[in-house]
């Protein structure tokens, strides 16, 4: 292809038979299968691809790696648009669309490149020193301008159309890194038969250079006990060898295939881990070391060798001492002219780089102080290697500075369950890496077979010998040159910024990082930290080791939120809990409401009815004829055993010793600190058999609590608890005709008032042989029964009630009507709000004085027994048509609206069709002493006028309990 | 973090709920208020070895005593509070 | 030298060579009137207010590592006073008032951005709680605005109104709330306290307390020698139990891990601080462009400053429930702080039973916003030997008295707050 002016032949990864079209900033190009976007752009002669974060300086491709700091692009369009992707990691596909980012209006003419002129002011921390006055201006003026200028790429704002998956994976040995060290370690360890998983972030194994290891890779791939996960990046090492990894399943395609996720998160649990994460080549600090055309030496070599791309025509190599033989040879073969090798260990340095959007020349300064300028379009930089210690550092390991290696190495090369090898362990030659990796593999195999006896002497000895013989030249920055020596390329942190920070007293490496923002870019310091530390070392006169590194945190490389969420998104966030009546409610046109994870029936509108009209109709049906309501969401616990009664006496504040068989009782459960925890009913089904219900909201926590009471507090008690919540469907049948309807569906049971008085409980069969439990309990305040049948019969029960109750005008009602009914009756519900005591709720008399129970002693603390506390009362507005909200506050008439006179708040409110008035329940300071007082309900949040209301008993309806006993 | 449940084997953190310090014991009936306040509220909160209560809520439901280091998260011992073998 | 645009321009011409140290690095003296243990936000601010409000300048702040290395530099920077209880609102509102003038007062831009804190609710129960809280705020003179569904969606365009799981019913907005630049708060207070005479001593770990004949505290032992003190004020957050344990005090508190998250920088897309009533998610966007978000504590005692995967997944899942447009945003970094969770979710700012020993701690995950107000009150308490009315409820005896300040109703389980 004629456009690929810098394409060479023979790139190992490139398939020149398969040209692929792509666009960058709207311009069309062609690359080949096997290219990355970066290599394809370079092949097409595009070297200026991005702008930096702060100064908007022109930038090019700097690395051949995932931690590319410069060449970040926006990939794809529409809802799949994705910002900040390193072009070096984008596998080219046909039709790829990418654009540059953080520039306006275009990459070449970027208005904010004016920031470069302001660079003398925009130094580290300049914003701490200005924009302070006047105070309001920060939020209104300064900050919006800064915010717009900052950021990198742009999100589409559209819903991510792709899907993500999660999977669990267990193995015996996890090998992280598929370079030659990882390959060899995995191959050797797998021979012992252990389940081995090898994870590699690139599409193929081999790392920097795997020539000669094709056979090894093939053998590894053929082993049945080895699983290889390419395009998978281990991002975090969590406790007990739990690893988080993300597989880029289809990022290399234009769109994921049918039923294919875009990415898959792996949660890997392993017994042992071999870390072969390799090392990252580092740059050097010199003036204008950020210009497009300045590139890591290993990257230049790999672009030529692997991708068949000529990153420049005339190169200068700047090295801290490495001979760069491989690069020199590769360039020679590729016909790239090597203008100079600048070897800092021989006293020569680059003083400056000329050119703005592309390198034009470099100025060198020799040991004699003489300078010369050399024309070139490529500067290859080789500053040494940083072992990829990030995963180890996540575990709290502080990396150790090695003077010989001139690098931070793992503090511990091995632990009980991990081994480091390859260049991560500091090894500098491929032969060393391979030899040590094989040794490591054998060691891991030995540990797998007989864990106790592994001997690490040889493992350590090898590394110590390698370190002893290493002698890297300590060189990080040119001593000469101007102010634009970049340490953090993406964030535009310069050598001068680090010096300024230390001068201003920011002396800890963490302070300098935070003050200058070095190491906080998308590469998380993989390129910059070492140079920041070197600069600090000079400024502070401390050794590299004394300065130390900042902490590395997960993820190793950025991970998409979508992958971390997997399938748990939108409606699939968590399972929806449905009662056995759900389908029936749906058919009846019932409306559902979210209640925790449950979908409960809220109300059953008839055609043309509003919610309020439906609720009113449902309430009146229960009051005047008969209604029924799904109560299957209540928690249900089966309790059995000789000590069951004694146990109930411990967990409830009221007594259960004398509850007869066949009777239900209301129970109130406290926390040990005396605050009400939950309420429900307890029914004695047999001598040693009880059935407990809890509120829907607390069903799980009550179960955990009483299991704690049993297993931990009173383990000697001989009882057994079982959660039977899902086993039973429950329906409350309420209203004057409730008994008549019940009798029809339970013809074999005597449900008369004599046989089944208030609070009686019976087991029997209904509906032609369905086992059922009937309880004569009432939340609504009506003659009522709760009917429980095995969950699978729930729907049949609802249908039978509807059918048999038809002539009585039976009406299903939802939780809204249920709430109105209980407010009218004065049953507490939302008043159990984790703030109230039994006494606050008007239930103080339930607290037994004859026994020990959870919450008894601490209930007696002065603050909980204080007569000044807020107590439950009813509220009746003087004008019955005046409504008020739950959450409105209570003030004495005429009192100032101030916290001192805040007398409480409304906990429940409703229009009562029965009473023809708005009513409410409130927690009011000294409420019980204030019956008859007219107070004001205030709701300034809604700008409402105060509603004058009388404090009344909260038992609005049938306070004598005649209905429930009828 | 993975907790080796004595009944279910090593299981991931998300299956368990945490309660807290297992070394505090509920006072006898009639014990003075200070003992109750101490039981409910005061904790050693050690940096290092910690004995604590967990429940394997998404598994067997057992309450467990777990010896775990709060600096390293290393778990050295796990036992059922009420050994299930004792249940009749 | 005062920080200003003119000094900045002047220095620009001189290559910024003239800036003095923001704070000195002195050696510890033998004696101070007040020794503050802990060089975090609260400790540094307390030194500043002791000097500014009480003319107590012979003060040392002892920091084990580097100042700001704890939770002040690890939090998600939310500043608000949208609290529920009349016992807690005045302190937090006073704090917010101090925040409003802080950059000018300290002559250090802490970038307090009043972009609002919006608590979004999804159920009737959550709305009722929001109404109760919003009214409590207004009763206490705090700004609170009830937003309907449309207003919430206008403020948070990324929220998917048809997420299919929980509806957006509305939100409670505190317009004056917002966020700030966390490190700047530590550095700004350090610089201001240093200029008024306080010694900020880094790499100085307290290893014990010196006691007088009657058991009173007379100073501290450190890895850099003994330092005597008229009064000792402890503000060490997650390590409160350890430091107070040195004098045998056992506290109603547990140390837990709280994680925080930041994404890669993207152009502005979240312009307020939003919290969600389901999924324990809160999110904002930094001036640099990173989305800053978080969720629940990991839930078990820990001093590790690192979290585990379940919370990472939880937070991501909540984001994808409500804002599925964020699926392609990438998490850049997640970390954790050690938070001192208490048995009622509220702090201690008080005299201790030991003479001359004062405590500011137990901040749960709400310490950052409280720094100015709490330190102001703490300085008052240390100087006067008695609390200010704003911090009077936050004493250690409240548990024995049965007067916890428990706004969530979580009860004596620190990880429930």
């Amino acid at each position: 292809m004629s456009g690929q002016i810098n394409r060479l032949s023979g790139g190992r990864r490139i398939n020149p038979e398969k040209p692929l079209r792509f666009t960058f900033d709207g311009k069309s190009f062609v690359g080949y299968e096997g290219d990355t976007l970066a290599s394809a752009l370079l092949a097409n002669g595009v070297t200026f691809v991005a702008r930096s974060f702060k100064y908007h300086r022109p930038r090019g491709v700097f690395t051949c790696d995932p931690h590319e700091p410069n060449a970040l692009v926006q990939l794809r369009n529409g809802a799949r648009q994705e910002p900040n992707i390193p072009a070096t990691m984008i596998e080219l596909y046909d039709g790829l669309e990418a654009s540059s980012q953080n520039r306006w209006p275009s990459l070449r003419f970027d208005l904010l490149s004016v920031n470069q002129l302001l660079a003398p002011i925009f130094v580290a921390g300049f914003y701490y020193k200005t924009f302070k006055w006047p105070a309001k201006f920060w939020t209104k003026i300064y900050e919006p301008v800064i915010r717009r200028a900052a950021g990198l790429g742009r999100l589409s704002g559209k819903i991510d159309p792709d899907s993500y998956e999660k999977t669990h994976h267990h193995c015996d040995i996890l090998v992280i890194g598929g370079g030659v060290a990882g390959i060899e370690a995995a191959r050797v360890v797998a021979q012992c038969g252990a389940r081995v998983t090898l994870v590699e972030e690139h599409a193929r194994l081999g790392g920097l250079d795997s020539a000669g290891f094709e056979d090894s890779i093939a053998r590894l791939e053929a082993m049945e006990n080895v699983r290889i996960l390419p395009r998978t990046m281990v991002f975090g090492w969590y406790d007990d060898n739990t690893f988080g990894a993300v597989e880029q399943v289809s990022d290399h395609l234009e769109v994921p295939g049918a039923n294919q996720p875009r990415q898959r998160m792996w949660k890997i649990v392993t017994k042992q881990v071999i870390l072969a994460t390799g090392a990252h080549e580092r740059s050097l600090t010199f003036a204008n070391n950020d210009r497009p055309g300045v590139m890591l030496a290993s990257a230049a070599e790999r672009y030529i060798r692997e991708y068949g791309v000529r990153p420049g025509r005339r190169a200068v190599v700047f090295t801290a001492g490495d001979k760069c033989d491989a690069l020199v040879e590769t360039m020679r073969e590729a016909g790239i002219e090597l203008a100079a090798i600048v070897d800092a260990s021989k006293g020569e340095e680059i003083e400056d780089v000329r050119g703005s959007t592309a390198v034009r020349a470099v100025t060198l300064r020799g040991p004699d102080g003489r300078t010369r300028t050399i024309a070139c379009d490529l500067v290859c930089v080789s500053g040494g290697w940083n072992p990829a210690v990030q995963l180890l550092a996540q575990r709290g390991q502080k990396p150790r500075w090695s003077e010989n290696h001139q690098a931070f190495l793992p503090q511990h090369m091995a632990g009980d369950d991990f081994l480091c090898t390859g260049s991560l362990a500091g090894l500098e030659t491929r032969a060393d890496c391979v030899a040590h990796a094989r040794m490591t593999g054998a060691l891991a195999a030995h540990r797998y077979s007989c864990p106790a006896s592994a001997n690490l002497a040889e493992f350590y000895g090898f590394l110590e010998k390698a370190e002893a013989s290493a002698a890297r030249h300590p060189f990080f920055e040119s001593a000469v040159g101007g102010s634009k020596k970049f340490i953090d390329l993406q964030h535009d942190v310069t050598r001068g910024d680090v010096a300024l920070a230390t001068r201003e007293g920011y002396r800890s490496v963490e302070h300098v990082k935070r003050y200058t923002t070095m190491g906080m870019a998308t590469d998380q310091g993989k390129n910059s930290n070492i140079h920041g530390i070197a600069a600090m070392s000079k400024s502070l006169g401390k050794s590299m080791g004394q300065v130390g590194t900042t902490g590395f945190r997960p993820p190793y490389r950025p991970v998409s939120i979508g992958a971390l969420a997997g399938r748990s998104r939108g409606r699939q966030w968590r399972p929806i809990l449905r009662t056995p009546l759900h389908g029936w409610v749906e058919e009846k046109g019932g409306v559902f409401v979210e209640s925790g994870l449950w979908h409960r029936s809220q109300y059953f509108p008839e055609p043309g009815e509003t919610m309020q009209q439906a609720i009113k109709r449902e309430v009146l049906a229960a009051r005047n004829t008969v209604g029924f309501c799904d109560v299957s969401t209540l928690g249900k616990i089966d309790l059995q055993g000789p000590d069951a009664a004694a146990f109930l006496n411990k967990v409830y504040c009221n007594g259960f010793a004398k509850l007869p068989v066949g009777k239900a009782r209301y129970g109130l459960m406290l926390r040990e600190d005396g605050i009400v925890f939950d309420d429900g009913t307890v029914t004695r089904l047999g001598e040693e058999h009880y059935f407990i219900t809890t509120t829907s909201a607390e069903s799980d926590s009550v179960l955990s609590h009483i299991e704690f009471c049993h297993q931990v507090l009173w383990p000697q008690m001989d009882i057994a608890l079982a959660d039977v919540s899902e086993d039973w469907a429950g329906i409350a049948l309420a209203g004057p005709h409730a008994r008549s309807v019940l009798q029809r569906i339970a013809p074999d049971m005597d449900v008369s008032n004599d046989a089944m008085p208030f609070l009686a409980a019976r087991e029997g069969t209904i509906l032609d042989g369905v086992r059922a439990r009937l309880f004569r309990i009432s939340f609504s305040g009506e003659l009522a029964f709760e009917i429980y049948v095995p969950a699978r019969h729930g729907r049949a029960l609802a249908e039978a009630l509807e059918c048999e109750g038809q002539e009585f005008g039976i009406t299903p009602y939802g939780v809204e009507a249920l709430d109105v009914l209980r407010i009218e009756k004065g049953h507490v519900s939302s008043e159990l709000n984790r703030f109230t005591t039994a006494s606050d709720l008007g239930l103080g008399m339930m607290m037994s004085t004859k026994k020990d129970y959870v919450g008894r002693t601490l209930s007696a603390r002065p603050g909980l027994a204080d007569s000044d506390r807020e107590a439950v009362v009813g509220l009746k507005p003087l004008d019955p048509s005046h409504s008020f909200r739950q959450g409105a506050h209570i003030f004495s008439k005429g009192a100032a609206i101030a916290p001192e006179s805040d007398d409480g708040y409304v906990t429940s409110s409703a229009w009562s069709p029965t009473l023809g008035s708005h009513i409410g329940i409130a927690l009011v300071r000294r409420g019980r002493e204030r019956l008859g007082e007219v107070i004001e309900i205030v709701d300034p949040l809604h700008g409402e006028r105060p509603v004058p209301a009388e404090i009344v008993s909260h038992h609005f309806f049938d306070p004598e309990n005649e209905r429930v006993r009828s | 973090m993975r907790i080796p449940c004595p009944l279910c084997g090593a299981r991931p953190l998300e299956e368990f709920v945490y309660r807290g310090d297992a070394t505090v014991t509920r006072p006898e009936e009639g014990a003075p208020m200070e003992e109750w306040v101490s039981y409910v509220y005061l904790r050693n909160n050690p940096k290092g070895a910690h004995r604590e209560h967990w429940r394997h809520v998404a598994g067997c439901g057992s309450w467990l005593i777990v010896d775990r280091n709060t600096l390293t998260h290393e778990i050295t011992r796990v036992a059922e509070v009420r050994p299930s073998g004792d249940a009749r | 030298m005062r920080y200003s645009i003119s000094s900045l321009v002047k220095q620009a011409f001189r290559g910024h060579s003239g800036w003095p140290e923001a704070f000195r690095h002195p050696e510890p003296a033998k004696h101070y009137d007040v020794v503050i243990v802990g060089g975090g936000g609260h400790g540094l601010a307390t030194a500043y207010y002791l000097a500014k409000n009480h003319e107590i300048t012979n003060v040392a702040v002892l920091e084990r590592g580097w100042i700001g290395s704890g939770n002040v530099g690890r939090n998600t920077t939310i500043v608000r006073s949208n609290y529920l209880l009349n016992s807690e609102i005045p302190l937090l509102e006073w704090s917010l008032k101090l925040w409003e003038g802080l950059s000018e007062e300290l002559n250090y831009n802490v970038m307090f951005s009043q972009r609002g804190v919006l608590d979004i609710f999804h159920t009737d129960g959550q709305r009722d709680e929001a109404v109760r809280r919003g009214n409590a705020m207004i009763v206490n003179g705090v700004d609170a605005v009830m937003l309907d569904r449309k207003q919430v969606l206008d403020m948070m365009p990324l929220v998917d109104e048809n997420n299919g799981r929980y509806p957006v019913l509305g939100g409670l907005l505190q317009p004056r709330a917002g966020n700030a630049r966390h490190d700047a708060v530590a550095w700004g207070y350090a610089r201001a306290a240093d200029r008024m005479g306080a010694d900020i001593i880094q790499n100085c770990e307290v290893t014990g307390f010196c006691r007088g004949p009657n058991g009173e505290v007379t100073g501290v032992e450190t890895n850099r020698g003994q330092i005597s003190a008229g009064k000792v004020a402890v503000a060490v957050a997650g390590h409160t139990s350890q430091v107070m344990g040195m004098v045998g005090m056992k506290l109603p508190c547990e140390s837990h891990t709280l994680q925080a998250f930041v994404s890669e920088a993207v152009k502005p897309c979240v312009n307020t601080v939003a919290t969600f009533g389901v999924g324990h998610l809160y999110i904002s966007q930094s001036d640099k462009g990173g989305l800053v978000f978080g969720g629940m504590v990991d839930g078990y005692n820990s001093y590790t400053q690192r979290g585990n995967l379940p919370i990472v997944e939880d937070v991501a899942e909540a984001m994808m429930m409500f804002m599925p447009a964020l699926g392609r945003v990438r998490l850049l970094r997640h970390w954790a702080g050690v938070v001192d969770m208490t048995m009622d979710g509220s702090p201690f700012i008080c005299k201790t039973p030991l003479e001359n020993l004062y405590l500011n701690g137990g901040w749960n995950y709400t310490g950052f916003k409280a720094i100015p107000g709490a330190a102001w009150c703490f300085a008052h308490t240390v100087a006067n030997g008695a609390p200010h009315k704003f911090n009077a409820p936050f004493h250690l005896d409240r548990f024995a008295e049965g007067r916890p300040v428990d706004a969530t109703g979580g009860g004596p389980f620190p990880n429930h707050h």
Side-chain angles (χ1 to χ4, degrees), chain A residues 896-907:
Chain A
I897 305 298
E900 302 76 44
S901 43
D902 188 354
D903 274 348
Y905 55 98
V906 178
T907 50

Side-chain angles (χ1 to χ4, degrees), chain A residues 82 84 120 128 143 150 166 238-239 503-504 506-507 511 514 553-554 559 574 596 671 861 863 886, chain C residues 16 21-22 67 109 113 115 128 165-166 181 265 267 287 305 308 313 317 330-331 334 399 401 409:
Chain A
E82 197 176 350
N84 309 347
Y128 299 128
E143 186 184 43
K166 285 186 191 175
Y238 301 91
D239 287 324
R503 203 155 62 234
E504 290 196 85
Y506 302 93
R507 296 184 184 174
H511 277 162
R514 287 152 184 264
R553 299 287 184 176
V559 174
R574 292 284 182 271
R671 296 193 312 219
R861 287 178 294 167
Q886 283 149 198
Chain C
H16 296 276
E21 284 192 325
I67 58 166
N109 190 355
S113 166
R115 59 182 79 167
D128 296 345
R165 191 60 217 257
Y166 289 97
R181 171 82 186 107
K267 292 292 178 197
D287 288 342
Q305 293 191 337
N308 271 305
E313 297 179 76
E317 287 164 4
R330 281 183 307 276
L331 173 67
H334 76 91
F399 301 97
E401 290 175 6

Side-chain angles (χ1 to χ4, degrees), chain A residues 318-331:
Chain A
F318 187 16
T319 163
D322 254 334
K323 295 207 169 50
C324 300
D325 290 339
L327 172 66
V328 171
E329 178 59 20
T330 310
M331 287 201 295

Side-chain angles (χ1 to χ4, degrees), chain A residues 709-720:
Chain A
C709 291
H710 176 222
Q711 295 180 33
V712 180
L713 298 182
W714 299 292
Q716 74 287 357
M717 283 194 172
D718 189 2
I719 59 159

Side-chain angles (χ1 to χ4, degrees), chain A residues 317-323 341-349 473:
Chain A
V317 175
F318 187 16
T319 163
D322 254 334
K323 295 207 169 50
I341 294 187
V342 185
D343 187 344
S345 68
K346 299 195 174 122
E348 197 170 22
E349 298 172 0
H473 180 64

Side-chain angles (χ1 to χ4, degrees), chain A residues 395-545:
Chain A
R395 303 302 301 159
Q397 265 205 38
K398 276 273 169 207
R400 165 181 73 88
W401 176 253
S402 163
E403 201 56 39
N404 287 5
H405 284 305
Q406 285 291 304
F408 284 98
L409 299 185
Q411 175 82 254
H412 305 288
M413 294 290 187
D416 290 342
D417 48 11
F418 74 88
L419 298 163
C420 299
T421 191
S423 49
L424 165 67
L427 301 174
E428 295 183 1
T429 68
R430 196 160 82 161
D432 275 358
C433 286
V434 168
H436 189 260
R438 288 177 182 158
M439 190 186 295
T440 303
L443 192 54
H446 191 79
R447 280 179 165 187
Y448 172 73
S449 314
C450 41
S453 60
N455 183 348
L456 287 118
E458 196 193 359
F459 172 93
Y460 283 125
F462 191 102
L463 298 178
E464 281 158 16
K465 206 171 133 220
E467 184 170 357
S469 62
R472 282 217 174 255
H473 180 64
F475 180 80
F476 293 91
E477 63 171 290
S478 288
V480 292
S483 62
K484 289 291 166 279
K485 294 176 172 174
F486 287 92
I487 280 178
D488 191 308
L489 290 168
Q490 190 180 111
H491 273 178
D492 289 329
V493 178
T494 66
R495 177 66 180 86
D497 288 327
V498 174
L500 173 63
T502 55
R503 203 155 62 234
E504 290 196 85
Y506 302 93
R507 296 184 184 174
S508 151
V509 66
E510 290 282 357
H511 277 162
V512 172
K513 167 189 156 186
R514 287 152 184 264
Y515 195 68
T516 63
T517 76
M518 101 191 168
M520 292 162 83
T522 56
D523 67 340
Q524 287 286 286
K526 292 190 189 82
N527 293 291
S528 58
N529 269 8
I530 193 75
H531 293 290
I533 293 163
M536 284 183 67
S537 162
K538 267 199 181 160
S539 292
L540 296 172
K542 286 182 173 178
S543 72
M544 297 285 285

